[in-house]
Amino acid sequence: MSLETTFPTAPPTPPRLPPLRRLAARCMSSPLGGVIAALVIIFGVSCLLSPHFLTSFNLMIMARALAFIGLVTIGQSVLMILGELDLSVGAIGGLAGITGGMLMVQAGLDPWLSLGLCLLLGTLCGMLNGVLITRLRLHSLVLTIGMAGVYGGANLVVTKGVAITGVPGDISFLGRGVVYGVPVPFVILLACLGVVGFVMARTPVGRYVYAIGSNPEAARMLGLRVDAIRVAAFATAGFLSALAGILMVARLGTAQPSIGDTWVLAPIAAAVIGGVATTGGLGSPVGAVLGAVIIGIIENIIVLFGISPYWQSIVSGGIVVLAISFDSLARRYIHRDA
């Protein structure tokens, strides 16, 4: 009779990747690693390309411009994590801004009361989008295209395409003010990002959003209130778009019917660059805003070099294609031998 002794075997050692693939894998495994690396590179290159880039005046302009796109990007990123899209956010921002101008100038209401009513209007518009999508079981992409026409058309009907001038200066501080050298709109952006980022990362509501974005049917079977969370997410996006709209009115001193016209593609591009998955369930508002910073730097460089601003939409669209392509190619490169 022989006694056989068995020894526990060590788990297999994963294959060691080459340095370049190891760096790529590390960036891809970190939620913000890729976008932070891209931001550092683009910031450094911009400093080398233009001596005017790092001046305080230029940084102030960039921060103020980023605030409006950033606010809309936060709301759009939450919807994308949920697996939805809202193409009416720009129209909601424009309608809220115009409504604010009319309430302050034509109706003579208190500016701060008008601001509150504008935020309420934007929230209700976003909520209406969510209710229609959940009740009618419509795809958010299709419905919000139609609602963008409704909100944008209402904007033109009430203004007849003419700007509303004479906005009281009581709220100008919100658009033009500076706190410790930082533009007030940028401070408001950071405050909103902190609140939404905390909710998404540290509360059950945030975990529900990620769960629904990953698998809505499984989330429904687990008892999550999927429709209510969808409506709340659309309402949040509407609120942030309205806030961007009224801040733009405060900055310009007039309510322009064209406010929000460029707030559709750029927030989606920023979210994709920032790591938000177009299929839902992945990403963060912080990463999306960092993506907006990258787009803002590129657009700023275009302006500094005197290139036509019409190229900005081409650049934004091209960035989306490059970001999606890079993400796909990087993942295939990392796992090609797996």
Side-chain angles (χ1 to χ4, degrees):
M1 182 177 180
S2 64
L3 295 176
E4 294 183 356
T5 304
T6 60
F7 297 95
T9 57
T13 304
R16 188 173 179 80
L17 297 175
L20 181 59
R21 290 175 64 184
R22 195 161 61 245
L23 177 62
R26 186 169 299 176
C27 289
M28 297 300 293
S29 63
S30 172
L32 299 177
V35 66
I36 291 176
L39 180 60
V40 170
I41 293 172
I42 291 176
F43 190 87
V45 171
S46 301
C47 292
L48 295 175
L49 287 177
S50 173
H52 305 291
F53 176 76
L54 213 51
T55 60
S56 58
F57 178 73
N58 188 55
L59 294 178
M60 185 82 76
I61 290 177
M62 268 201 305
R64 189 171 277 123
L66 172 66
F68 307 104
I69 290 295
L71 285 169
V72 183
T73 299
I74 294 172
Q76 193 71 275
S77 66
V78 173
L79 289 173
M80 291 176 67
I81 293 170
L82 196 61
E84 306 285 353
L85 269 178
D86 190 342
L87 300 185
S88 67
V89 286
I92 292 176
L95 181 61
I98 283 294
T99 303
M102 294 180 67
L103 291 176
M104 286 183 274
V105 177
Q106 298 179 0
L109 286 185
D110 179 80
W112 298 103
L113 176 60
S114 302
L115 189 150
L117 292 175
C118 291
L119 297 179
L120 177 62
L121 174 64
T123 306
L124 291 176
C125 289
M127 189 178 296
L128 177 61
N129 288 348
V131 170
L132 291 176
I133 289 167
T134 55
R135 294 298 180 188
L136 302 178
R137 301 298 175 194
L138 296 174
H139 196 287
S140 60
L141 185 66
V142 177
L143 182 122
T144 54
I145 288 176
M147 295 308 289
V150 173
Y151 300 139
N155 182 340
L156 295 175
V157 166
V158 298
T159 63
K160 296 180 175 56
V162 178
I164 298 173
T165 58
V167 173
D170 301 48
I171 64 169
S172 63
F173 177 75
L174 295 176
R176 307 174 193 172
V178 175
V179 176
Y180 296 111
V182 181
V184 172
F186 191 76
V187 174
I188 295 175
L189 167 67
L190 294 180
C192 292
L193 180 60
V195 172
V196 178
F198 176 81
V199 170
M200 292 294 290
R202 301 292 182 184
T203 68
V205 174
R207 290 193 289 274
Y208 296 161
V209 171
Y210 282 99
I212 296 170
S214 300
N215 192 330
E217 293 307 317
R220 198 184 301 274
M221 292 177 67
L222 288 173
L224 300 185
R225 299 179 64 186
V226 175
D227 290 348
I229 292 174
R230 277 183 174 147
V231 172
F234 276 98
T236 302
F239 171 86
L240 292 170
S241 300
L243 179 58
I246 196 65
L247 289 180
M248 182 61 82
V249 171
R251 177 190 176 188
L252 299 175
T254 62
Q256 299 282 348
S258 60
I259 289 175
D261 285 354
T262 60
W263 294 353
V264 179
L265 181 59
I268 297 174
V272 173
I273 294 169
V276 179
T278 53
T279 53
L282 289 174
S284 70
V286 175
V289 171
L290 291 177
V293 175
I294 291 176
I295 293 180
I297 291 175
I298 294 174
E299 292 180 347
N300 182 258
I301 285 295
I302 290 176
V303 173
L304 289 178
F305 276 85
I307 302 173
S308 168
Y310 298 118
W311 280 92
Q312 291 183 6
S313 64
I314 297 176
V315 171
S316 298
I319 288 172
V320 175
V321 175
L322 286 175
I324 295 174
S325 303
F326 177 79
D327 181 78
S328 175
L329 291 173
R331 292 182 191 282
R332 286 166 54 189
Y333 175 67
I334 294 167
H335 302 293
R336 68 181 182 185
D337 296 331

